[in-house]
Amino acid sequence: MTTPPPPISEPDPSALVCPGDRVGLCAGCQRRTHRYGSGGSPLCQWGMAGVEPGWGPAVRYSRTRL
């Protein structure tokens, strides 16, 4: 059994260890997360946990630049 995510007012742990100019809002829940720059993701760790199982083992997250 997994624990529920903390309230939206609490940032994702990734937002606490990156520079402030790389912090943005999660595309799913609007929680503050490391969104921009190297290592950034459009989803917080709780949002990513919900979609990642549907990707399968062949999908890799390599870059966000078009």
Side-chain angles (χ1 to χ4, degrees):
M1 185 171 153
T2 61
T3 59
I8 300 298
S9 60
E10 293 185 25
D12 186 54
S14 65
L16 302 174
V17 295
C18 72
D21 63 338
R22 295 184 179 193
V23 174
L25 299 178
C26 170
C29 68
Q30 305 302 304
R31 179 187 313 273
R32 291 175 48 82
T33 189
H34 179 185
R35 179 149 186 187
Y36 305 105
S38 178
S41 174
L43 296 171
C44 66
Q45 71 180 25
W46 294 281
M48 189 66 80
V51 297
E52 202 169 24
W55 289 348
V59 176
R60 291 185 176 253
Y61 185 76
S62 62
R63 65 182 189 161
T64 58
R65 184 169 288 169
L66 298 174

